[in-house]
Amino acid sequence: MQAFSGDSPLAGVLRGGGKMAAPSEELNCQDFSEFQDVLRMMRQIDDRIVHELNTIIPTASFAGKIDASQTCKQLYESLKQAHVSREKAIKTCINQSSSRVNKLREERNKDMDNLTLLKQLRKEQTNLKLMQSELNVEEVVNDRSWKVFKDRCRIHYKPSNSL
């Protein structure tokens, strides 16, 4: 019996050959557009979960040909790893941006007439708020993925800790 089939991106992750999540070191925290692009790539596993589960979890007629419990276990581990990786990356960027805001505030307090500094501070504050909002987006994405996972894998695999 094989654990999964197909050459889909998620199947590659489940086999260990694909990468769905970029490490946080590659994340450019100063450019929000680039930050969002990297997060979008890191969220591919979540974006494709419904299609992939339809592809890799067998219907009753194919149940003997695919080990659905192993497939669901691997998917669970991949999802968990992707979610932790993204949350860490987002929080790292929030911390960096917050530090820059604090530094710019201190500089601004020393030089209240510097309009360039004020513009930089406002830009960085906006960037920080946008990054903080990504934590909310992350929560919604994760909740949706776990719901789909539970719906399709609950009879094949039950993780030791509840979702």
Side-chain angles (χ1 to χ4, degrees):
M1 259 192 286
Q2 63 180 7
F4 40 80
S5 64
D7 290 324
S8 65
L10 184 57
V13 168
L14 294 176
R15 282 192 296 271
K19 284 191 174 184
M20 284 279 183
S24 60
E25 292 79 33
E26 294 178 15
L27 208 52
N28 180 354
C29 298
Q30 292 186 343
D31 181 347
F32 186 72
S33 294
E34 187 175 325
F35 170 80
Q36 278 190 309
D37 289 343
V38 172
L39 283 178
R40 194 172 301 114
M41 288 187 318
M42 293 173 78
R43 288 179 176 142
Q44 285 180 352
I45 190 171
D46 295 89
D47 294 342
R48 296 178 179 168
I49 190 168
V50 172
H51 171 75
E52 297 300 332
L53 281 170
N54 287 339
T55 303
I56 61 177
I57 301 296
T59 59
S61 61
F62 291 102
K65 297 178 182 177
I66 295 173
D67 183 357
S69 63
Q70 184 63 27
T71 300
C72 287
K73 180 181 179 185
Q74 290 171 329
L75 177 59
Y76 172 79
E77 294 299 327
S78 294
L79 278 172
K80 194 167 87 170
Q81 179 184 4
H83 294 175
V84 168
S85 175
R86 289 195 312 260
E87 182 178 358
K88 181 181 175 189
I90 293 167
K91 287 183 175 181
T92 296
C93 283
I94 287 172
N95 289 337
Q96 288 177 15
S97 184
S98 182
S99 294
R100 285 191 300 272
V101 165
N102 290 336
K103 182 180 177 212
L104 287 168
R105 263 196 203 123
E106 288 173 11
E107 290 177 28
R108 173 76 174 134
N109 289 339
K110 293 176 187 173
D111 187 4
M112 296 296 272
D113 296 328
N114 189 336
L115 293 178
T116 304
L117 204 52
L118 178 61
K119 286 179 185 178
Q120 286 177 328
L121 175 60
R122 287 188 178 153
K123 180 180 177 188
E124 194 59 48
Q125 286 172 327
T126 300
N127 201 36
L128 177 59
K129 288 176 187 173
L130 291 170
M131 287 182 188
Q132 289 169 332
S133 72
E134 282 299 323
L135 279 177
N136 296 327
V137 171
E138 188 64 18
E139 183 179 348
V140 170
V141 168
N142 292 353
D143 288 349
R144 177 190 163 271
S145 293
W146 289 127
K147 180 185 181 317
V148 169
F149 174 84
K150 282 192 260 185
D151 288 348
R152 290 300 306 275
C153 284
R154 71 176 171 257
I155 62 173
H156 303 291
Y157 175 73
K158 293 189 182 3
S160 56
N161 57 346
S162 62
L163 299 175

